[in-house]
Amino acid sequence: MLRRSAALLAVPLALVVPAVSVASSNNQIELSATPQPVEVVPLPCFPSGKLSLGMTNTGRKSTVADMRIAADPALTISRHQFSSYLPVNQLVKAPLEITVPRGTAPATHTVTLSADKKQLKVPVIVKPVPARDNLLLGEQAVASSTNGNMRLCGGVDGNADSAQWGASGWHDNTKGVFPDTYGVGFVQPTTVGRVVLQTLDSAKYPAAVMGIRDFDVQVRTGAQRTTVGEVRGNETGRVTVTFTPVAVDAIQLVIHDSNDHGYSRIVEVEAWHN
Ligand SMILES: [Ca+2]
């Protein structure tokens, strides 16, 4: 009977001790961000402005922490808070995307991370828009639909490597239903005379099995849509379509079928003056 009472008394004591440790461990959170500085290009689909935020609990007890994220007015950030349970000595990460509108002047700005009494200022360099021969690179992609596992911008992010399809490709979200469309709207009339499609074509997923089979190249000038090229029965990864150069407001692929009759898979689509 006496032994049982002693055991019951020990329980509240055991609870009190860790509570004190948790409170003090909140000052033991280390903030991190990579890369530093992070670079942003003022184009809607250019691959830039990706930051990996991190919190590490260097205390002795697990805890919960809230990181607040603030940015200079020139920057748009994808989240303003990152909250997480933090086991001891484990880096917990979350992605942050930083974008700037087209026309933003080159400058260095700041994203400020804070948690408890810690603060980390991350420099963000707004770069000038790079010289581009590929007229679609980084421009705003427009699609009939986008599968939830893919990124709308994946087809115009400058990466045409089928091996990196998962991270840098696009496909629609209407399996077995065609047509699908994918293209770019230009901010000013742009002369285009050649379009290159890189459809999925890897060792595991060859174009003849998974790639786009039938598609049209369609341009828009004002409200007028014109088909300037047609491809049928394609089984190769990289397809070039040339036509008389024309000034257009927008360009898109109208995809009528893929070799598996499932999705329209684009690794990259490029366009050139001629
Ligand atoms: Ca790509």
Side-chain angles (χ1 to χ4, degrees), residues 153-161 164-165 167-170 266-269:
C153 287
V156 290
D157 63 358
N159 187 345
D161 183 356
Q164 295 173 51
W165 150 253
S168 177
W170 169 88
I266 294 176
V267 184
E268 195 76 2
V269 57

Side-chain angles (χ1 to χ4, degrees), residues 41-128:
V41 172
L43 284 173
C45 279
F46 202 88
S48 64
K50 288 177 177 53
L51 200 59
S52 177
L53 308 175
M55 292 193 285
T56 307
N57 173 11
T58 59
R60 286 181 297 176
K61 297 286 178 185
S62 58
T63 187
V64 172
D66 300 308
M67 178 194 288
R68 284 170 303 286
I69 306 149
D72 289 359
L75 310 176
T76 300
I77 53 178
S78 60
R79 60 166 74 210
H80 291 85
Q81 187 167 336
F82 164 31
S83 301
S84 181
Y85 171 76
L86 296 180
V88 173
N89 281 329
Q90 237 181 67
L91 174 64
V92 179
K93 297 192 288 186
L96 178 73
E97 289 196 24
I98 306 163
T99 54
V100 289
R102 194 187 296 269
T104 303
T108 299
H109 294 281
T110 305
V111 164
T112 304
L113 316 178
S114 50
D116 294 315
K117 296 179 176 87
K118 295 285 180 62
Q119 198 175 71
L120 177 63
K121 288 186 178 293
V122 181
V124 180
I125 299 175
V126 177
K127 304 282 286 183

Side-chain angles (χ1 to χ4, degrees), residues 104-231:
T104 303
T108 299
H109 294 281
T110 305
V111 164
T112 304
L113 316 178
S114 50
D116 294 315
K117 296 179 176 87
K118 295 285 180 62
Q119 198 175 71
L120 177 63
K121 288 186 178 293
V122 181
V124 180
I125 299 175
V126 177
K127 304 282 286 183
V129 172
R132 293 165 295 158
D133 294 329
N134 166 15
L135 303 165
L136 304 189
L137 174 59
E139 295 293 337
Q140 182 61 64
V142 181
S144 51
S145 66
T146 298
N147 184 270
N149 294 324
M150 311 302 287
R151 298 170 63 90
L152 172 61
C153 287
V156 290
D157 63 358
N159 187 345
D161 183 356
S162 285
Q164 295 173 51
W165 150 253
S168 177
W170 169 88
H171 73 71
D172 64 288
N173 199 33
T174 57
K175 188 177 184 180
V177 178
F178 294 88
D180 302 304
T181 61
Y182 187 91
V184 151
F186 295 112
V187 291
Q188 58 193 33
T190 301
T191 299
V192 182
R194 176 162 52 106
V195 169
V196 178
L197 165 67
Q198 176 67 56
T199 190
L200 180 58
D201 186 30
S202 64
K204 193 173 177 184
Y205 303 114
V209 178
M210 302 286 271
I212 290 173
R213 181 175 184 83
D214 301 330
F215 69 98
D216 302 335
V217 176
Q218 191 179 74
V219 298
R220 179 176 63 75
T221 304
Q224 178 84 30
R225 292 187 181 277
T226 310
T227 296
V228 292
E230 291 185 0
V231 174

